[in-house]
Amino acid sequence: MNELTIESLQTTILDIPLVRPHKFATTSMDRQPLLLVAIRTTGGVVGYGEGVVPGGPWWGGESVETMKAIIDGYIAPVIVGRRVDEITGIMLDIERVVARADFAKAAVDVALHDAWARSLGVPVHTLLGGAFRDSVEVTWALGAAPVDEIVAEAEQKLAQRLHFSFKLKMGALDPAEDTERVAAIAQALRGKAGVRVDINARWDRLTALRYLPRLAEAGVELIEQPTPGEQLEVLAELRQILPVPIMADESVCSPYDAFEVARRRAADVIAVKTTKCGGLARSRVIVAVAQAAGIACHGATSIEGPIGTAASIHFACAQPGINVGSELFGPLLFAEQLLIEPLRYADGRVALPQGPGLGVELDLDAVRMFTRN
Ligand code: MG
């Protein structure tokens, strides 16, 4: 036993209200459940990680409830008693008892990094090779209100210099209506701001062939995952036809997925979420595969709260392969920041938090207030 020994792992479910509902193709959320993972060492250091999925199990089959069951029942017994600096070995041993469950593993991986960095008195990015920048660009997700209101929201963000590019969710409406709505928004913002769309894998090949050219023509600058994640040939075909880049999200959760996308030339950009990718260590491998193939990477989000977002900022600031900005806006959608000092967003960017570990301190009273009973 020494002070790096892991004494306990605790999980707590929180429900955080949002400032406005966030819509996906198949669901909408007005609160975001978070699973807070706390790893305590015998030296008295506590490292935090966050288990979070975008709006429930529809995206990848996991939820805060499944993550809690997997972590408490199967991952905690592997971890307790080990040294917090044995992350590689611990994660390999977790692989032996839990397949997939990448969102749950990501929460544990981040808590281990935070605890180890705090034990050393260094920031998490030091463990990732060191930061080469101190902030990263952040795109804003526009809501699903009528076109005029959406354009007004975007213009307000531009005037406040908060964001310079915007993402719109598609796939919930009839494709013709959806395309006209987004084309109108893209045309209104043309020349003022970048507009991207995320179809969350909801369209089939023919629908994509029919409507994506119209979106490109209206000025949409990037199209994220129009068709089902496993259909890489379809993504590759669309990429050949369209004059705008294609981003793979649902198609890439593992280094092997990234290799397949690269081998089939199926995307120009990969959305790297430290959550869906199983944590910081595995996200690095995914970015390395993409870099070797000349594929860009975007710092994507599962609508993480402060801990998950801080982890993704450390990753993006230490990883030159994350070279087309981020959408790490999660905390801006939250009605409660859960931090003593909130993350800093300004000039279209979010700042790398300074200090040991993730560089953020949880407000434990707020954590208690939003803990699910
Ligand atoms: Mg997406």
Side-chain angles (χ1 to χ4, degrees), residues 239-292:
R239 189 177 161 257
Q240 286 300 317
I241 291 165
L242 292 168
V244 292
I246 295 271
M247 178 152 79
D249 181 7
E250 279 84 344
S251 291
V252 180
C253 295
S254 69
Y256 175 74
D257 294 341
F259 171 72
E260 277 300 296
V261 162
R263 189 172 72 79
R264 303 190 207 195
R265 309 307 300 170
D268 302 283
V269 185
I270 291 176
V272 177
K273 299 172 177 164
T274 56
T275 50
K276 73 167 183 182
C277 297
L280 302 170
R282 225 164 60 132
S283 295
R284 281 179 94 177
V285 183
I286 290 174
V287 173
V289 172
Q291 270 182 306

Short mmCIF file of all heavy atoms in Angstrom, two decimals, residues 239-292:
data_model
loop_
_atom_site.label_atom_id
_atom_site.label_comp_id
_atom_site.label_asym_id
_atom_site.label_seq_id
_atom_site.Cartn_x
_atom_site.Cartn_y
_atom_site.Cartn_z
N ARG A 239 -19.65 10.53 -50.08
CA ARG A 239 -18.46 11.39 -50.01
C ARG A 239 -17.94 11.68 -51.42
O ARG A 239 -17.47 12.80 -51.69
CB ARG A 239 -17.40 10.68 -49.18
CG ARG A 239 -16.25 11.53 -48.87
CD ARG A 239 -15.23 10.86 -47.99
NE ARG A 239 -14.02 11.59 -48.16
CZ ARG A 239 -12.99 11.19 -48.90
NH1 ARG A 239 -13.00 10.01 -49.46
NH2 ARG A 239 -11.95 11.97 -49.04
N GLN A 240 -18.04 10.70 -52.29
CA GLN A 240 -17.59 10.88 -53.68
C GLN A 240 -18.47 11.89 -54.42
O GLN A 240 -17.99 12.65 -55.26
CB GLN A 240 -17.66 9.55 -54.44
CG GLN A 240 -16.56 8.58 -54.07
CD GLN A 240 -15.18 9.13 -54.34
OE1 GLN A 240 -14.94 9.74 -55.38
NE2 GLN A 240 -14.26 8.97 -53.40
N ILE A 241 -19.77 11.86 -54.11
CA ILE A 241 -20.74 12.66 -54.86
C ILE A 241 -20.81 14.11 -54.38
O ILE A 241 -20.99 15.03 -55.16
CB ILE A 241 -22.14 12.01 -54.73
CG1 ILE A 241 -22.15 10.69 -55.50
CG2 ILE A 241 -23.26 12.93 -55.22
CD1 ILE A 241 -23.31 9.80 -55.16
N LEU A 242 -20.68 14.30 -53.06
CA LEU A 242 -20.96 15.62 -52.48
C LEU A 242 -19.75 16.55 -52.52
O LEU A 242 -18.62 16.10 -52.32
CB LEU A 242 -21.43 15.47 -51.03
CG LEU A 242 -22.79 14.82 -50.88
CD1 LEU A 242 -23.03 14.43 -49.43
CD2 LEU A 242 -23.90 15.75 -51.36
N PRO A 243 -20.01 17.84 -52.71
CA PRO A 243 -18.90 18.80 -52.73
C PRO A 243 -18.51 19.27 -51.32
O PRO A 243 -17.64 20.14 -51.19
CB PRO A 243 -19.49 19.96 -53.53
CG PRO A 243 -20.96 19.90 -53.27
CD PRO A 243 -21.30 18.46 -53.04
N VAL A 244 -19.15 18.73 -50.27
CA VAL A 244 -18.81 19.15 -48.90
C VAL A 244 -18.34 17.94 -48.10
O VAL A 244 -18.70 16.81 -48.42
CB VAL A 244 -20.02 19.81 -48.17
CG1 VAL A 244 -20.38 21.14 -48.80
CG2 VAL A 244 -21.22 18.89 -48.13
N PRO A 245 -17.52 18.17 -47.07
CA PRO A 245 -17.00 17.04 -46.28
C PRO A 245 -18.08 16.29 -45.51
O PRO A 245 -19.09 16.87 -45.09
CB PRO A 245 -16.00 17.68 -45.33
CG PRO A 245 -16.00 19.13 -45.57
CD PRO A 245 -16.97 19.46 -46.64
N ILE A 246 -17.81 14.99 -45.31
CA ILE A 246 -18.69 14.12 -44.53
C ILE A 246 -17.97 13.79 -43.22
O ILE A 246 -16.78 13.47 -43.22
CB ILE A 246 -18.92 12.77 -45.28
CG1 ILE A 246 -19.69 13.01 -46.57
CG2 ILE A 246 -19.58 11.74 -44.39
CD1 ILE A 246 -21.18 12.95 -46.45
N MET A 247 -18.72 13.88 -42.12
CA MET A 247 -18.15 13.52 -40.81
C MET A 247 -18.81 12.24 -40.31
O MET A 247 -20.04 12.12 -40.31
CB MET A 247 -18.35 14.65 -39.79
CG MET A 247 -17.81 14.30 -38.41
SD MET A 247 -17.29 15.76 -37.46
CE MET A 247 -18.84 16.39 -36.87
N ALA A 248 -17.99 11.28 -39.87
CA ALA A 248 -18.49 10.03 -39.30
C ALA A 248 -18.57 10.16 -37.79
O ALA A 248 -17.61 10.58 -37.15
CB ALA A 248 -17.54 8.89 -39.67
N ASP A 249 -19.72 9.82 -37.22
CA ASP A 249 -19.86 9.82 -35.76
C ASP A 249 -20.27 8.42 -35.29
O ASP A 249 -19.44 7.66 -34.79
CB ASP A 249 -20.88 10.89 -35.33
CG ASP A 249 -21.06 10.97 -33.82
OD1 ASP A 249 -20.30 10.30 -33.09
OD2 ASP A 249 -21.97 11.70 -33.35
N GLU A 250 -21.54 8.04 -35.52
CA GLU A 250 -21.99 6.70 -35.14
C GLU A 250 -21.12 5.61 -35.76
O GLU A 250 -21.02 4.51 -35.22
CB GLU A 250 -23.46 6.50 -35.58
CG GLU A 250 -24.50 7.12 -34.63
CD GLU A 250 -24.77 8.61 -34.89
OE1 GLU A 250 -23.97 9.28 -35.57
OE2 GLU A 250 -25.80 9.12 -34.38
N SER A 251 -20.47 5.88 -36.89
CA SER A 251 -19.62 4.88 -37.57
C SER A 251 -18.32 4.59 -36.82
O SER A 251 -17.67 3.59 -37.10
CB SER A 251 -19.24 5.34 -38.98
OG SER A 251 -20.35 5.35 -39.83
N VAL A 252 -17.90 5.46 -35.89
CA VAL A 252 -16.58 5.28 -35.26
C VAL A 252 -16.64 5.35 -33.74
O VAL A 252 -16.81 6.43 -33.17
CB VAL A 252 -15.56 6.33 -35.78
CG1 VAL A 252 -14.20 6.12 -35.11
CG2 VAL A 252 -15.41 6.26 -37.29
N CYS A 253 -16.53 4.19 -33.10
CA CYS A 253 -16.44 4.15 -31.63
C CYS A 253 -15.14 3.48 -31.17
O CYS A 253 -14.85 3.48 -29.98
CB CYS A 253 -17.64 3.41 -31.05
SG CYS A 253 -19.20 4.26 -31.33
N SER A 254 -14.39 2.87 -32.10
CA SER A 254 -13.19 2.13 -31.69
C SER A 254 -12.06 2.41 -32.69
O SER A 254 -12.32 2.88 -33.81
CB SER A 254 -13.48 0.63 -31.69
OG SER A 254 -13.66 0.19 -33.03
N PRO A 255 -10.83 2.08 -32.33
CA PRO A 255 -9.73 2.22 -33.29
C PRO A 255 -9.97 1.39 -34.55
O PRO A 255 -9.63 1.83 -35.65
CB PRO A 255 -8.51 1.71 -32.50
CG PRO A 255 -8.86 1.99 -31.07
CD PRO A 255 -10.34 1.74 -30.97
N TYR A 256 -10.57 0.21 -34.40
CA TYR A 256 -10.85 -0.61 -35.58
C TYR A 256 -11.84 0.10 -36.50
O TYR A 256 -11.66 0.10 -37.74
CB TYR A 256 -11.40 -1.98 -35.17
CG TYR A 256 -11.81 -2.80 -36.37
CD1 TYR A 256 -10.85 -3.38 -37.20
CD2 TYR A 256 -13.16 -2.95 -36.71
CE1 TYR A 256 -11.22 -4.10 -38.32
CE2 TYR A 256 -13.53 -3.67 -37.84
CZ TYR A 256 -12.55 -4.24 -38.64
OH TYR A 256 -12.92 -4.94 -39.76
N ASP A 257 -12.88 0.72 -35.92
CA ASP A 257 -13.84 1.48 -36.74
C ASP A 257 -13.12 2.59 -37.51
O ASP A 257 -13.41 2.83 -38.69
CB ASP A 257 -14.91 2.16 -35.86
CG ASP A 257 -15.83 1.18 -35.15
OD1 ASP A 257 -15.91 0.01 -35.59
OD2 ASP A 257 -16.47 1.59 -34.16
N ALA A 258 -12.19 3.26 -36.84
CA ALA A 258 -11.46 4.36 -37.49
C ALA A 258 -10.62 3.80 -38.64
O ALA A 258 -10.55 4.38 -39.73
CB ALA A 258 -10.55 5.06 -36.48
N PHE A 259 -10.02 2.63 -38.42
CA PHE A 259 -9.22 1.97 -39.46
C PHE A 259 -10.10 1.64 -40.67
O PHE A 259 -9.71 1.86 -41.82
CB PHE A 259 -8.59 0.71 -38.87
CG PHE A 259 -7.92 -0.16 -39.89
CD1 PHE A 259 -6.72 0.22 -40.46
CD2 PHE A 259 -8.49 -1.37 -40.27
CE1 PHE A 259 -6.10 -0.58 -41.40
CE2 PHE A 259 -7.88 -2.18 -41.22
CZ PHE A 259 -6.67 -1.78 -41.79
N GLU A 260 -11.31 1.11 -40.42
CA GLU A 260 -12.22 0.74 -41.52
C GLU A 260 -12.66 1.98 -42.31
O GLU A 260 -12.74 1.96 -43.52
CB GLU A 260 -13.44 -0.01 -40.98
CG GLU A 260 -13.19 -1.48 -40.77
CD GLU A 260 -12.81 -2.21 -42.06
OE1 GLU A 260 -13.65 -2.27 -42.98
OE2 GLU A 260 -11.68 -2.69 -42.15
N VAL A 261 -12.99 3.06 -41.59
CA VAL A 261 -13.37 4.31 -42.26
C VAL A 261 -12.22 4.81 -43.12
O VAL A 261 -12.40 5.23 -44.27
CB VAL A 261 -13.81 5.39 -41.23
CG1 VAL A 261 -13.79 6.78 -41.84
CG2 VAL A 261 -15.21 5.07 -40.70
N ALA A 262 -11.00 4.68 -42.59
CA ALA A 262 -9.82 5.12 -43.34
C ALA A 262 -9.60 4.23 -44.56
O ALA A 262 -9.40 4.73 -45.67
CB ALA A 262 -8.59 5.08 -42.43
N ARG A 263 -9.68 2.92 -44.36
CA ARG A 263 -9.42 1.96 -45.45
C ARG A 263 -10.42 2.15 -46.58
O ARG A 263 -10.07 2.04 -47.75
CB ARG A 263 -9.54 0.54 -44.87
CG ARG A 263 -9.08 -0.55 -45.81
CD ARG A 263 -9.04 -1.89 -45.12
NE ARG A 263 -10.36 -2.43 -44.84
CZ ARG A 263 -11.12 -3.03 -45.74
NH1 ARG A 263 -10.71 -3.16 -46.99
NH2 ARG A 263 -12.31 -3.50 -45.40
N ARG A 264 -11.68 2.44 -46.25
CA ARG A 264 -12.70 2.58 -47.29
C ARG A 264 -12.90 4.04 -47.72
O ARG A 264 -13.83 4.32 -48.48
CB ARG A 264 -14.03 2.03 -46.78
CG ARG A 264 -13.92 0.58 -46.34
CD ARG A 264 -15.27 0.04 -46.07
NE ARG A 264 -15.24 -1.03 -45.10
CZ ARG A 264 -16.25 -1.87 -44.91
NH1 ARG A 264 -17.36 -1.75 -45.61
NH2 ARG A 264 -16.17 -2.80 -44.00
N ARG A 265 -12.07 4.93 -47.21
CA ARG A 265 -12.18 6.36 -47.52
C ARG A 265 -13.64 6.81 -47.35
O ARG A 265 -14.23 7.42 -48.24
CB ARG A 265 -11.70 6.68 -48.95
CG ARG A 265 -10.33 6.15 -49.34
CD ARG A 265 -9.22 6.50 -48.40
NE ARG A 265 -8.99 7.92 -48.22
CZ ARG A 265 -8.18 8.42 -47.28
NH1 ARG A 265 -7.54 7.62 -46.45
NH2 ARG A 265 -8.02 9.72 -47.15
N ALA A 266 -14.23 6.51 -46.19
CA ALA A 266 -15.66 6.73 -45.99
C ALA A 266 -15.99 8.09 -45.38
O ALA A 266 -17.17 8.45 -45.31
CB ALA A 266 -16.24 5.61 -45.12
N ALA A 267 -14.99 8.83 -44.89
CA ALA A 267 -15.28 10.13 -44.27
C ALA A 267 -14.08 11.05 -44.38
O ALA A 267 -12.93 10.60 -44.49
CB ALA A 267 -15.65 9.95 -42.80
N ASP A 268 -14.35 12.36 -44.34
CA ASP A 268 -13.29 13.37 -44.34
C ASP A 268 -12.88 13.73 -42.92
O ASP A 268 -11.78 14.22 -42.67
CB ASP A 268 -13.80 14.65 -45.02
CG ASP A 268 -14.25 14.36 -46.44
OD1 ASP A 268 -13.39 14.21 -47.31
OD2 ASP A 268 -15.48 14.24 -46.67
N VAL A 269 -13.87 13.57 -42.00
CA VAL A 269 -13.67 13.97 -40.60
C VAL A 269 -14.26 12.87 -39.72
O VAL A 269 -15.27 12.25 -40.08
CB VAL A 269 -14.42 15.29 -40.29
CG1 VAL A 269 -14.12 15.77 -38.87
CG2 VAL A 269 -14.08 16.40 -41.30
N ILE A 270 -13.63 12.63 -38.57
CA ILE A 270 -14.20 11.71 -37.57
C ILE A 270 -14.56 12.53 -36.33
O ILE A 270 -13.74 13.34 -35.85
CB ILE A 270 -13.21 10.58 -37.21
CG1 ILE A 270 -13.04 9.63 -38.42
CG2 ILE A 270 -13.69 9.80 -35.98
CD1 ILE A 270 -12.00 8.53 -38.22
N ALA A 271 -15.79 12.33 -35.83
CA ALA A 271 -16.22 12.96 -34.58
C ALA A 271 -15.67 12.11 -33.44
O ALA A 271 -16.06 10.95 -33.28
CB ALA A 271 -17.74 13.02 -34.51
N VAL A 272 -14.71 12.67 -32.68
CA VAL A 272 -14.11 11.91 -31.58
C VAL A 272 -14.72 12.41 -30.27
O VAL A 272 -14.52 13.55 -29.88
CB VAL A 272 -12.57 12.10 -31.56
CG1 VAL A 272 -11.96 11.37 -30.37
CG2 VAL A 272 -11.97 11.59 -32.87
N LYS A 273 -15.53 11.53 -29.64
CA LYS A 273 -16.08 11.84 -28.32
C LYS A 273 -15.30 10.99 -27.34
O LYS A 273 -15.27 9.76 -27.50
CB LYS A 273 -17.56 11.44 -28.25
CG LYS A 273 -18.44 12.17 -29.24
CD LYS A 273 -19.85 11.60 -29.26
CE LYS A 273 -20.73 12.40 -30.21
NZ LYS A 273 -21.97 11.69 -30.56
N THR A 274 -14.69 11.60 -26.34
CA THR A 274 -13.92 10.80 -25.39
C THR A 274 -14.85 9.81 -24.67
O THR A 274 -14.38 8.80 -24.17
CB THR A 274 -13.20 11.70 -24.36
OG1 THR A 274 -14.17 12.53 -23.71
CG2 THR A 274 -12.17 12.59 -25.04
N THR A 275 -16.16 10.10 -24.67
CA THR A 275 -17.13 9.22 -24.01
C THR A 275 -17.38 7.94 -24.83
O THR A 275 -17.09 6.85 -24.37
CB THR A 275 -18.46 9.97 -23.83
OG1 THR A 275 -18.81 10.55 -25.09
CG2 THR A 275 -18.33 11.06 -22.80
N LYS A 276 -17.86 8.09 -26.06
CA LYS A 276 -18.19 6.91 -26.86
C LYS A 276 -16.95 6.10 -27.20
O LYS A 276 -17.04 4.92 -27.53
CB LYS A 276 -18.90 7.32 -28.17
CG LYS A 276 -17.96 7.98 -29.18
CD LYS A 276 -18.51 8.14 -30.58
CE LYS A 276 -17.45 8.74 -31.50
NZ LYS A 276 -17.90 8.98 -32.86
N CYS A 277 -15.77 6.75 -27.17
CA CYS A 277 -14.53 6.07 -27.55
C CYS A 277 -13.89 5.33 -26.37
O CYS A 277 -12.82 4.76 -26.51
CB CYS A 277 -13.53 7.07 -28.13
SG CYS A 277 -14.11 7.86 -29.65
N GLY A 278 -14.51 5.35 -25.19
CA GLY A 278 -13.99 4.56 -24.06
C GLY A 278 -12.92 5.27 -23.25
O GLY A 278 -12.21 4.63 -22.49
N GLY A 279 -12.82 6.60 -23.40
CA GLY A 279 -11.90 7.34 -22.54
C GLY A 279 -10.75 7.98 -23.29
O GLY A 279 -10.68 7.95 -24.52
N LEU A 280 -9.84 8.60 -22.52
CA LEU A 280 -8.76 9.40 -23.11
C LEU A 280 -7.73 8.51 -23.81
O LEU A 280 -7.27 8.84 -24.91
CB LEU A 280 -8.08 10.23 -22.01
CG LEU A 280 -9.03 11.17 -21.24
CD1 LEU A 280 -8.33 11.76 -20.02
CD2 LEU A 280 -9.53 12.28 -22.16
N ALA A 281 -7.40 7.39 -23.19
CA ALA A 281 -6.34 6.55 -23.75
C ALA A 281 -6.77 6.00 -25.11
O ALA A 281 -6.01 6.05 -26.08
CB ALA A 281 -6.02 5.41 -22.78
N ARG A 282 -8.01 5.49 -25.20
CA ARG A 282 -8.44 4.91 -26.47
C ARG A 282 -8.74 5.97 -27.53
O ARG A 282 -8.54 5.74 -28.72
CB ARG A 282 -9.64 3.99 -26.28
CG ARG A 282 -9.42 2.69 -27.06
CD ARG A 282 -10.34 1.62 -26.63
NE ARG A 282 -11.71 2.01 -26.84
CZ ARG A 282 -12.62 1.25 -27.44
NH1 ARG A 282 -12.30 0.06 -27.88
NH2 ARG A 282 -13.87 1.66 -27.57
N SER A 283 -9.19 7.15 -27.08
CA SER A 283 -9.42 8.23 -28.04
C SER A 283 -8.12 8.62 -28.74
O SER A 283 -8.10 8.97 -29.92
CB SER A 283 -9.99 9.47 -27.33
OG SER A 283 -11.27 9.18 -26.81
N ARG A 284 -6.99 8.54 -28.00
CA ARG A 284 -5.69 8.87 -28.60
C ARG A 284 -5.37 7.92 -29.75
O ARG A 284 -4.81 8.33 -30.77
CB ARG A 284 -4.57 8.71 -27.57
CG ARG A 284 -4.44 9.85 -26.62
CD ARG A 284 -3.32 9.58 -25.65
NE ARG A 284 -2.07 10.19 -26.10
CZ ARG A 284 -0.96 10.14 -25.37
NH1 ARG A 284 -0.93 9.52 -24.22
NH2 ARG A 284 0.12 10.73 -25.82
N VAL A 285 -5.72 6.64 -29.58
CA VAL A 285 -5.42 5.66 -30.63
C VAL A 285 -6.28 5.96 -31.86
O VAL A 285 -5.81 5.90 -33.01
CB VAL A 285 -5.68 4.22 -30.12
CG1 VAL A 285 -5.30 3.22 -31.20
CG2 VAL A 285 -4.92 3.96 -28.84
N ILE A 286 -7.55 6.32 -31.62
CA ILE A 286 -8.46 6.63 -32.74
C ILE A 286 -7.93 7.82 -33.53
O ILE A 286 -7.87 7.81 -34.75
CB ILE A 286 -9.89 6.87 -32.20
CG1 ILE A 286 -10.45 5.54 -31.71
CG2 ILE A 286 -10.79 7.52 -33.26
CD1 ILE A 286 -11.80 5.61 -31.02
N VAL A 287 -7.50 8.86 -32.80
CA VAL A 287 -6.97 10.05 -33.49
C VAL A 287 -5.69 9.69 -34.25
O VAL A 287 -5.46 10.17 -35.36
CB VAL A 287 -6.73 11.20 -32.48
CG1 VAL A 287 -6.02 12.37 -33.15
CG2 VAL A 287 -8.06 11.67 -31.88
N ALA A 288 -4.87 8.82 -33.68
CA ALA A 288 -3.62 8.43 -34.35
C ALA A 288 -3.92 7.72 -35.68
O ALA A 288 -3.27 7.99 -36.69
CB ALA A 288 -2.78 7.53 -33.44
N VAL A 289 -4.91 6.84 -35.67
CA VAL A 289 -5.29 6.13 -36.91
C VAL A 289 -5.78 7.15 -37.94
O VAL A 289 -5.38 7.10 -39.11
CB VAL A 289 -6.39 5.07 -36.62
CG1 VAL A 289 -6.93 4.48 -37.92
CG2 VAL A 289 -5.85 3.97 -35.71
N ALA A 290 -6.63 8.08 -37.50
CA ALA A 290 -7.17 9.09 -38.41
C ALA A 290 -6.03 9.94 -38.99
O ALA A 290 -5.97 10.19 -40.20
CB ALA A 290 -8.17 9.98 -37.68
N GLN A 291 -5.10 10.35 -38.12
CA GLN A 291 -3.98 11.20 -38.57
C GLN A 291 -3.15 10.49 -39.64
O GLN A 291 -2.79 11.09 -40.65
CB GLN A 291 -3.05 11.51 -37.38
CG GLN A 291 -3.44 12.76 -36.64
CD GLN A 291 -2.46 13.04 -35.52
OE1 GLN A 291 -2.22 12.18 -34.67
NE2 GLN A 291 -1.90 14.24 -35.49
N ALA A 292 -2.90 9.21 -39.40
CA ALA A 292 -2.08 8.46 -40.36
C ALA A 292 -2.78 8.38 -41.71
O ALA A 292 -2.14 8.28 -42.75
CB ALA A 292 -1.80 7.06 -39.82
#
